[in-house]
DNA sequence: AGTATTTCCTAGCGAGCACTAGGAATCTTC
DNA sequence: GAAGATTCCTAGTGCTCGCTAGGAAATACT
């Protein structure tokens, strides 16, 4: 009799496939993905726990078992996105100087491949412009590191004789970062009329053409 | 006796100076300014009517006399900001072609003069990335017009012989807009480590140097 | 078989939200 | 000075929010 009862409720949402801990991890991942989607399209304050939980197929109380507070959920979403972007950056890290700058031309195309993560970055950074919060510190640090990486590449390119002129590596690094961010925003706001890949490639080749040593 | 009663309450918040309609306009302006400040720092959803009203020196119900809904208040804030930016653009509109592009170098400095309006733009555009809302349509249209203005300037500069090469005016317009927006974000996120004025000037002179006809 | 653990739900709490109803105080107009 | 218009408040409504308490069901352990 108990075994029959088990079989009757086998189709229940909780007992789908696999072991207990497997289902737990899968639910957790589903919540993270739903949270990324809703945070990116509605912002942190705009997305409710109930809506995220519904998208993940559970209730809000069920969600709070995996992430004890809404802020914890946000931090997990950010940590996951950060990890993915670090992986994308590692493909670039083995080169330096001018080759690194040249590879930045493909960064626009990379971002176009993941519109949700791109929109998440725009939304969350704009939602945390003013200081104090943990998230604001994260974005400030990330921009600092990104600019430092590019500035170092500009310096090395000049030292190697690949670039010339009296340009300021810090300014060039900030400007290249700005093009990436600005195109991101226009791409999201223009229904595809603005291409990040095309704009970024044009910018990088333009910078290199302008700063190339004259023979 | 009534006159004495009047004098006793003369220091009341409502009866400060001037006529009735003057006070009304002043309060309305105070509400608009408080709303701009709070919307820019906390976003639309993050700023409550009570907080805005408190900053303006009245209650939330008093605020709703001037602006019947929160969305009406937002539209008024946006309309006011739009008017100010139109005025700033009109100083540029009398020139065309290369001179217009050269004047864009000063746009970074102009934005630095009004950090609140700049942050408001970043916050609200990021909060309305996805389509449908009235505000989203506003931003899409504004970017379209701005890019069109710059693209036309690039075309005219080439026609006049001030610029040369096989550059794409649409791409150059999008990229120049992107630098402006991207520097805006970094400026707000870097405690002044990134200068919008310096970056924008470097970019404009760089573009002109790169596209100048070779003698 | 019995116990413990993991996972998720039902139910509800207190706070904050945008917004409303109705009235009071002030100023203008006659 | 009475009548009307303007401006703003007190009080409250219904809703949604993040979060908690406690339990139920399924699985794993012994």
């Amino acid at each position: 009799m108990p075994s029959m009862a088990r079989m009757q409720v086998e189709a229940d949402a909780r007992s789908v496939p696999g072991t207990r801990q497997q289902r737990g991890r899968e639910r957790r991942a589903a919540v993270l993905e739903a949270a990324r989607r809703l945070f990116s399209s509605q912002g942190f304050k705009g997305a409710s726990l109930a809506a995220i939980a519904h998208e993940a197929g559970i209730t809000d109380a069920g969600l709070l078992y995996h992430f004890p507070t809404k802020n914890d959920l946000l931090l997990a979403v950010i940590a996951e996105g950060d990890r993915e972007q670090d992986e994308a950056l590692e493909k670039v890290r083995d080169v330096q100087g001018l080759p690194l700058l040249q590879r930045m031309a493909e960064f626009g195309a990379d971002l176009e491949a993941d519109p949700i993560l791109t929109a998440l970055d725009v939304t969350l950074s704009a939602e945390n412009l003013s200081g104090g919060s943990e998230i604001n510190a994260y974005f400030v640090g990330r921009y600092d590191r990104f600019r430092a990486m590019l500035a170092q590449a500009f310096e090395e390119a000049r030292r190697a004789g690949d670039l010339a002129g009296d340009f300021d590596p810090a300014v060039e690094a900030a400007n290249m970062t700005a093009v990436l961010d600005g195109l991101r925003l226009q791409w999201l706001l223009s229904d595809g009329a603005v291409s990040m890949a095309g704009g970024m490639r044009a910018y990088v080749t333009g910078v290199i053409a302008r700063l190339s040593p004259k023979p």
Side-chain angles (χ1 to χ4, degrees), chain A residues 28-131:
Chain A
R28 213 188 115 101
V31 168
L32 270 179
E33 196 222 325
R36 174 186 290 195
R37 238 184 9 249
L38 289 190
F39 282 158
S40 85
S41 66
Q42 325 228 45
F44 175 69
K45 286 161 192 154
S48 71
L49 287 183
I52 296 171
H54 180 75
E55 289 262 309
I58 58 177
T59 66
D60 60 339
L63 185 154
L64 287 168
Y65 166 77
H66 296 283
F67 305 94
T69 73
K70 191 186 185 186
N71 205 61
D72 288 335
L73 174 59
L74 173 62
L75 291 179
V77 167
I78 289 183
E80 200 194 34
D82 194 38
R83 200 159 31 80
E84 290 178 24
Q85 290 184 339
D86 269 5
E87 287 172 13
L89 266 181
E90 271 178 19
K91 291 192 295 186
V92 182
R93 267 286 157 88
D94 54 337
V95 291
Q96 290 176 336
L98 188 71
L100 191 150
L101 297 179
Q102 282 168 332
R103 283 210 193 170
M104 294 303 300
E106 297 312 314
F107 239 69
D110 290 353
L111 291 188
E112 275 183 357
D114 197 341
I116 295 173
L117 187 58
T118 303
L120 180 75
D121 242 60
V122 173
T123 304
L124 290 186
S125 57
E127 220 170 1
N128 293 278
L129 290 181
S130 41

Side-chain angles (χ1 to χ4, degrees), chain A residues 37 154 162 170 187 193:
Chain A
R37 238 184 9 249
F154 272 105
D162 292 329
W187 179 62

